[in-house]
């Protein structure tokens, strides 16, 4: 399903956030994320961790996974909790409110 079809689906009248995941091998995933309101993103920590947790639970990946996102590579370690690491880059700056 194309992103345009997905973002205009009647099933999601307020749009949706969605991640597309490909298992490369036991130690690697590819993840692409679409977020309502902004479109495709360079990375999503929450989506990355969710993808690794689900793939790990299904036995598709091990406990140390490299995740390839458009913004680079992230590392996720699975134990009692998930540990996400990777580069953090500022990609946008803006002003939410102006002083009167």
């Amino acid at each position: 399903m194309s992103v345009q079809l997905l973002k205009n689906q009647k099933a999601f009248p307020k749009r949706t956030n969605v991640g597309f995941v490909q298992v490369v091998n036991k130690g690697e995933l590819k993840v692409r994320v679409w977020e309502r309101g902004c479109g495709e993103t360079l990375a999503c920590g929450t989506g990355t961790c969710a993808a690794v947790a689900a793939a790990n639970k299904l036995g598709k990946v091990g406990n140390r996974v490299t995740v390839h996102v458009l913004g680079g590579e992230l590392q996720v370690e699975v134990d009692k909790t998930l540990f996400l690491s990777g580069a953090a880059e500022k990609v946008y700056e803006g002003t939410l409110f102006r002083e009167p």
Side-chain angles (χ1 to χ4, degrees):
M1 178 181 291
S2 79
V3 171
Q4 287 297 330
L5 288 174
L6 179 65
K7 84 176 197 180
N8 295 318
Q9 278 293 313
K10 291 180 183 178
F12 306 114
K14 295 183 181 181
R15 301 204 198 172
T16 188
N17 294 341
V18 63
F20 298 93
V21 181
Q22 176 187 4
V23 176
V24 177
N25 57 50
K26 284 282 196 179
E28 290 181 90
L29 293 179
K30 288 183 182 178
V31 174
R32 292 182 70 173
V33 177
W34 178 271
E35 294 186 10
R36 69 174 170 232
C38 64
E40 190 167 21
T41 62
L42 296 176
C44 175
T46 306
T48 294
C49 286
V52 170
N56 180 267
K57 182 81 171 172
L58 293 170
K60 302 290 185 183
V61 296
N63 292 337
R64 292 177 185 249
V65 183
T66 298
V67 181
H68 306 278
V69 293
L70 290 179
E73 289 186 356
L74 301 171
Q75 306 297 321
V76 179
E77 291 184 40
V78 180
D79 198 4
K80 292 179 183 177
T81 60
L82 298 175
F83 183 78
L84 171 69
S85 61
E89 302 287 335
K90 181 163 73 169
V91 295
Y92 181 79
E93 184 174 321
T95 302
L96 294 176
F97 303 102
R98 289 185 175 212
E99 295 292 326

